[in-house]
Amino acid sequence: MDPISFTGNPLDRASAERPGEAWIAARRQTGRFLPFWQMKPLVTANAKAAFLPWRADWEGRTSVFLGLDNDQPLFAVDLGKNETPPSLDGEFHDMRAAAFVLPGRDTAIAGQAKALLDWHARHGFCPNCGHATELKDGGYRRLCPQCGAEHFPRTDPVVIMLPVFGDECLVGRNSRFVGGLFSAFAGFVEPGETLEEAVRRELMEETALKVGAVRYARSQPWPFPSSLMLGCYAEALSKDFTIDGEEIAEARWISKTQARQWLKDEVLDEMRIPATIAIAHHLLKDWACE
Ligand SMILES: [Zn+2]
């Protein structure tokens, strides 16, 4: 199986040490910081994540500890959303675009950084009492000094599934997708649901497809802004489906032979294939080429 973008993060997150403020302060002295502007990571001319020493003009910016790369402490810093990018050695790339050019490990680290910085940018105030919160544990906790509530960076589970019937699988075109993109089906797991229940509910809502066994296959952190994609195969009990016409505009059963051709040509009967950085691409590939 091919590795998936945003997976394989090699850092030691030092979760036992990072709550120590003196420990973090010491790591910052020798630390390297990955700058983000408008939530886009800085990329070097030779397509690596651009980790730089701390600069005095970053004082007051939110920065988070990512982990230790062997002994090298790595951090990320949020340089805000101004119209003009800060002048630094490198170029800010949209996170999705960066995932296509960065080495796998750098994509995983940049994805971790983006998810964390994005969370901090949106959680400056306590949802319990409204008071401003403070960054703790190198960025893995926010504490409300007013009511004492603790807040932790969230990860939202999303099921993404390929329904399978015999030698065929069902792919759908989301009404929000442009350019004939067909993909797996997906949706957020709701409170009180298992993974399997979420898969069955989403497929029922979107396609009225009846599903038996659900098998979890692989997962992928997806920092847009903070999802964890849980890739599954769902055994359809029949091929009968009715698209909801709202979220899903069209769906088609395709055979393994067709899927292999699709993977090779990237377009099949005007259906465009999901990008290689998406887990949907790998669910399809793993199934068609197993
Ligand atoms: Zn509070």
Side-chain angles (χ1 to χ4, degrees):
M1 290 194 296
D2 297 337
I4 310 181
S5 288
F6 300 107
T7 69
N9 192 318
L11 302 186
D12 170 1
R13 295 175 183 230
S15 47
E17 292 87 0
R18 70 191 181 200
E21 283 178 20
W23 189 88
I24 287 285
R27 295 300 154 311
R28 290 174 67 89
Q29 299 302 315
T30 55
R32 291 289 179 273
F33 294 75
L34 177 61
F36 279 73
W37 165 72
Q38 295 187 345
M39 289 300 154
K40 300 172 183 177
L42 187 67
V43 175
T44 66
N46 60 352
K48 299 265 173 61
F51 281 94
L52 310 174
W54 180 258
R55 291 163 55 110
D57 61 327
W58 292 347
E59 213 50 60
R61 298 291 191 182
T62 298
S63 63
V64 294
F65 174 67
L66 301 173
L68 302 172
D69 185 10
N70 294 314
D71 288 329
Q72 174 63 60
L74 297 182
F75 293 80
V77 57
D78 182 358
L79 300 183
K81 294 179 163 48
N82 280 354
E83 230 162 84
T84 36
S87 176
L88 292 168
D89 201 9
E91 234 183 280
F92 291 95
H93 283 251
D94 172 80
M95 188 69 247
R96 273 186 186 78
F100 285 101
V101 298
L102 292 174
R105 68 189 301 285
D106 288 23
T107 301
I109 295 168
Q112 174 198 3
K114 180 182 179 295
L116 266 176
L117 290 178
D118 211 47
W119 181 79
H120 284 286
R122 292 177 293 114
H123 291 79
F125 295 90
C126 178
N128 194 40
C129 77
H131 198 276
T133 55
E134 295 165 356
L135 185 151
K136 298 286 178 190
D137 300 0
Y140 288 81
R141 184 167 64 104
R142 291 192 79 90
L143 178 66
C144 175
Q146 182 73 23
C147 74
E150 295 179 303
H151 308 287
F152 298 91
R154 58 183 289 170
T155 296
D156 304 309
V158 175
V159 285
I160 178 158
M161 52 280 180
L162 203 58
V164 171
F165 186 84
D167 189 40
E168 292 174 88
C169 78
L170 188 67
V171 288
R173 181 168 64 81
N174 194 297
S175 44
R176 290 178 295 114
F177 291 170
V178 288
L181 172 65
F182 278 70
S183 189
F185 301 86
F188 285 101
V189 179
E190 294 188 349
E193 266 185 333
T194 66
L195 193 60
E196 293 84 352
E197 287 162 353
V199 167
R200 292 196 187 95
R201 174 184 53 77
E202 282 288 340
L203 287 174
M204 182 51 70
E205 287 172 5
E206 295 180 353
T207 64
L209 191 71
K210 290 201 175 64
V211 161
V214 171
R215 180 170 67 84
Y216 163 77
R218 309 172 77 176
S219 64
Q220 177 194 36
W222 187 247
F224 306 101
S226 56
S227 295
L228 177 64
M229 309 302 288
L230 304 161
C232 297
Y233 295 101
E235 206 175 285
L237 298 175
S238 87
K239 284 176 66 176
D240 299 334
F241 69 86
T242 310
I243 52 161
D244 67 2
E246 287 180 20
E247 195 166 350
I248 300 298
E250 195 182 349
R252 294 184 200 173
W253 286 101
I254 59 167
S255 70
K256 280 194 178 178
T257 311
Q258 285 176 305
R260 286 195 289 267
Q261 196 64 41
W262 195 21
L263 286 156
K264 194 163 146 260
D265 300 343
E266 296 178 12
V267 178
L268 176 79
D269 296 336
E270 296 181 342
M271 297 192 302
R272 201 157 51 78
I273 201 156
T276 51
I277 64 163
I279 190 173
H281 184 98
H282 298 272
L283 287 175
L284 190 74
K285 189 173 184 180
D286 295 347
W287 168 78
C289 306
E290 70 187 359

